[in-house]
């Protein structure tokens, strides 16, 4: 059966998911999740559902809320030769991700409400995951953020530096000031690629093109990122704008943002799985596979980012899933686009890193941290009610996760349309066994099958309705 054309079921069936390791807002506990019409209606100590109700037994696996990746590039429209919603969402659910937020650098770029709606029209029948979109800041109309309709978008992306797929670059101080003021007035969450583009240009004119991938970090050094983060802090202080630094890459940036948070500024940051997994030494070996913007940096930077995760200083973990074809990535270093796929590998790579760095840590503590930064805090930051928690009233987005089994990623495992991964050959610890969205199984590792392509564009109206709908009177109670 061609799953991409499978009809959407009218409603999810009643279901009970039982396990001894449910990762709930109150901690890891045994219990039974009762599901009706795509939502969790109750979490009970005993299974009180009728005998005929279908059941999933998690055995010793953790049951997590569906994970949220707030930083993906699914390349639709205009760049679907390297990714699309079918392949991107398959990669997502194989990694336990049931909700994504897609970036605006497509063709055409997503800069207006009409662009967002046109982009959302690509989802029906083609996505296994729910989605929201970051609108892109149009430097010709930065004031438009003050009146942005939250039904269209509640967050806006600003590229402070350019690269191969950046549609618009905002490096004019006056435009940035207007944008931050408008975002504060419109209660829009800014998300920022924080590198100083003018400093990068200055360095390019002085150094020329990098002769090899091992020289790439020196040509895109931490200097530009530190300067950009300092500028963002000043703008947040001036306007009170909520701002989120994407793919933070250096120890100095982390220290600056943590200091700003301690001063009470509404500034948060994301760390990618790539920056936690690789260093500049790997880029010398792997070349274009780990060419990123901002660059993969030194071991001391990676250690600082792991410390940020351990201390809960970061808010979100993101994949910056940015596939390119092999032909594109094997151009000369100056011409090869930055970015790599990662939505499929994100949760498992971070989990593997935690177990290796902190082997004596209680697994329940570790899995709670993973859920905090890949579900709960993303849902809170980007105002996604019904997402990110195992609780009555929440969407029945669930992940059954085996925390112990070692396995090796091969090319045959890769779901992204680009067909490659920087993690090929890695031995991971733990893997996703099953992913459910709205009560439907959308990925089953045992059968290597996917479920219905009924993922939706989430508007505040649908989110609020699903989060506050009355639990049916017949639902089992705790």
């Amino acid at each position: 059966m061609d799953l991409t054309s499978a009809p959407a079921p009218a409603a999810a069936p009643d279901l009970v998911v039982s396990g001894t390791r449910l990762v709930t807002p109150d901690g890891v506990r045994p219990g039974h999740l009762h599901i009706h019409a795509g939502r969790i209606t109750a979490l009970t100590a005993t299974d009180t559902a009728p005998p005929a109700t279908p059941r999933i037994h998690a055995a010793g696996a953790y049951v997590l809320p569906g994970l949220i990746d707030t930083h993906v590039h699914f390349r639709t429209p205009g760049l679907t030769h390297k990714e699309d919603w079918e392949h991107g969402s398959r990669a997502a659910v194989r990694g336990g991700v049931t909700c994504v937020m897609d970036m605006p650098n497509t063709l055409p770029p997503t800069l207006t409400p009409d662009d967002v709606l046109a982009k959302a029209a690509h989802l029906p029948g083609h996505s296994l995951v729910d989605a929201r979109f970051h609108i892109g800041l149009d430097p010709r109309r930065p004031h438009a953020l003050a009146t942005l309709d939250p039904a269209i978008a509640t967050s806006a992306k600003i590229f402070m530096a350019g690269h191969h797929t950046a549609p618009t670059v905002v490096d004019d101080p006056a435009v940035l000031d207007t944008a931050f003021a408008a975002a504060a007035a419109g209660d829009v969450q800014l998300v920022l690629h924080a590198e100083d583009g003018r400093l990068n240009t200055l360095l390019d004119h002085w150094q020329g093109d990098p002769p090899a991938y091992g020289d790439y970090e020196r040509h895109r050094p931490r200097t530009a990122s530190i300067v950009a983060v300092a500028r963002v802090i000043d703008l947040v202080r001036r306007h009170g704008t909520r701002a989120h630094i994407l793919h933070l890459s250096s120890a100095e940036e982390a220290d600056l943002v943590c200091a700003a948070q301690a001063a009470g500024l509404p500034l948060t940051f994301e760390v990618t799985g790539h920056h936690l997994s690789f260093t500049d030494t790997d880029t010398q070996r792997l070349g274009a596979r780990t060419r990123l913007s901002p660059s993969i940096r030194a071991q001391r930077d990676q250690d600082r980012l792991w410390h940020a995760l351990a201390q809960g200083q970061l808010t979100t973990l993101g994949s910056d899933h940015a596939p390119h074809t092999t032909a594109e990535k094997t151009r000369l270093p100056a011409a090869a686009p930055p970015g790599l796929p990662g939505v499929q590998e994100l949760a498992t790579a971070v989990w593997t890193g935690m177990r290796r760095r902190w082997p004596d840590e209680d697994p329940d503590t570790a899995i709670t941290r993973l859920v905090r930064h890949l579900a709960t805090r993303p849902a809170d930051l980007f105002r996604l009610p019904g997402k990110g928690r195992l609780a009555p009233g929440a969407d029945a987005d669930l992940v059954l996760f085996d925390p112990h089994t070692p396995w090796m990623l091969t090319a045959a495992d890769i779901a992204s349309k680009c067909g490659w991964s920087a993690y090929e050959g890695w031995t991971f610890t733990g893997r996703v066994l099953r992913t459910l969205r709205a009560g439907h199984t959308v990925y089953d590792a045992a059968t290597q099958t996917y479920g219905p392509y009924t993922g939706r564009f989430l508007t505040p109206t649908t989110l609020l309705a699903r989060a506050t709908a009355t639990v049916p009177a017949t639902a089992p109670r705790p």
Side-chain angles (χ1 to χ4, degrees):
M1 180 179 182
D2 180 6
L3 288 173
T4 61
S5 60
D14 286 350
L15 179 68
V16 176
V17 177
S18 303
T20 59
R21 293 173 158 183
L22 275 59
V23 186
T24 77
D26 299 321
V28 179
R29 54 172 285 190
H32 308 271
L33 293 167
H34 299 262
I35 295 167
H36 173 76
R39 291 189 306 112
I40 298 170
T41 55
L43 198 170
T44 61
T46 57
D47 183 352
T48 58
T53 304
R55 286 167 169 79
I56 295 174
H57 296 282
Y62 283 111
V63 181
L64 319 178
L67 305 180
I68 303 169
D69 190 343
T70 57
H71 191 168
V72 304
H73 302 264
F74 279 1
R75 304 301 193 196
T76 304
L79 297 167
T80 53
H81 64 285
K82 47 191 167 188
E83 189 64 291
D84 53 36
W85 278 95
E86 286 94 341
H87 290 85
S89 65
R90 288 175 201 166
V93 296
R94 288 179 77 104
V97 172
T98 58
C99 180
V100 301
M101 297 188 73
D102 193 63
M103 289 293 170
N105 42 331
T106 50
L107 293 176
T110 314
L111 301 179
T112 69
D114 286 344
D115 294 334
V116 173
L117 294 175
K119 198 171 183 177
H122 291 275
L123 265 68
H126 297 281
S127 179
L128 293 161
V129 299
D130 291 335
R132 286 286 281 167
F133 301 113
H134 302 291
I135 198 169
L137 178 71
D138 186 341
R140 301 164 299 181
R141 302 181 307 112
H143 55 277
L145 295 183
T147 55
L148 181 62
D149 183 352
I152 298 295
T154 56
S155 56
K157 172 73 175 286
I158 297 179
F159 290 90
M160 297 176 69
H163 57 72
H164 296 65
T165 62
T168 56
V169 178
V170 184
D171 56 11
D172 184 324
V175 175
L176 282 170
D177 194 74
T178 300
F180 272 72
D187 194 24
V188 174
Q189 173 73 59
L190 294 184
V191 296
L192 298 114
H193 181 126
E195 289 185 284
D196 190 294
R198 293 183 296 182
L199 278 184
N200 282 342
T201 300
L202 186 69
L203 289 168
D204 287 344
H205 287 162
W206 178 53
Q207 297 182 116
D209 294 336
Y213 290 109
D215 299 304
Y216 178 62
E217 199 278 337
R218 181 170 59 84
H219 283 249
R220 284 290 180 269
R222 68 188 67 233
T223 312
S225 296
I226 295 167
V227 168
V229 167
R231 179 178 294 180
V232 170
I233 290 172
D234 183 60
L235 288 163
V236 170
R237 182 187 289 117
R238 191 181 312 159
H239 299 292
T241 318
R242 294 185 300 118
H244 187 58
I245 305 293
L246 299 171
H247 41 47
L248 187 141
S249 63
S250 74
E252 291 86 352
E253 294 166 76
D255 289 346
L256 283 172
V257 176
C258 288
Q261 292 171 343
L265 299 182
L267 186 62
T268 54
F269 68 98
E270 166 199 83
V271 171
T272 71
H274 310 323
H275 285 101
L276 292 172
S277 299
F278 303 102
T279 68
D280 53 357
T281 301
D282 295 303
T283 303
Q284 294 178 32
R285 179 174 55 87
L286 296 171
R289 282 180 180 251
T290 55
R291 177 180 175 175
L292 292 181
S293 181
S295 304
I296 297 286
R297 306 214 185 275
Q299 185 65 57
R300 72 176 182 89
D301 299 296
Q302 187 186 88
D303 291 343
R304 176 65 180 89
L305 300 183
W306 276 107
H307 177 75
L309 177 59
Q311 298 300 312
Q313 295 169 341
L314 61 88
T315 297
T316 65
L317 291 162
S319 71
D320 191 6
H321 177 81
H324 299 284
T325 66
T326 301
E328 290 168 331
K329 291 294 280 185
T330 51
R331 295 170 184 163
L332 292 174
L340 54 144
V343 66
Q344 178 176 338
E345 302 93 328
L346 174 60
T348 305
V350 175
W351 175 255
T352 299
M354 287 195 295
R355 302 314 294 152
R356 290 176 180 170
R357 281 187 171 248
W358 310 311
D360 297 327
E361 183 175 55
D362 177 15
D364 288 359
T365 300
I367 202 71
T368 300
R369 180 188 299 112
L370 190 75
V371 166
R372 182 184 306 124
H373 296 291
L374 261 175
T376 311
R377 285 191 177 178
D380 292 345
L381 183 69
F382 290 103
R383 291 174 283 186
L384 300 171
K387 301 294 186 183
R389 291 171 174 81
L390 297 185
D395 288 357
D397 301 346
L398 314 174
V399 182
L400 274 62
F401 183 74
D402 167 10
H404 300 303
T405 301
W407 63 285
M408 182 179 290
L409 183 73
T410 69
D413 298 309
I414 297 165
S416 175
K417 192 172 185 178
C418 71
W420 61 271
S421 170
Y423 295 88
E424 286 177 57
W426 272 47
T427 299
F428 289 115
T429 298
R431 70 186 309 166
V432 171
L433 302 177
R434 190 166 185 162
T435 304
L436 293 85
R437 187 195 57 78
H440 292 282
T441 295
V442 288
Y443 172 65
D444 186 341
T447 59
Q448 293 290 293
T449 56
Y450 301 96
Y453 284 72
T454 53
R456 303 179 306 155
F457 171 52
L458 299 174
T459 69
T461 301
T462 58
L463 282 166
L464 186 61
R466 294 173 77 186
T468 60
T470 303
V471 174
T474 56
R477 301 294 176 178

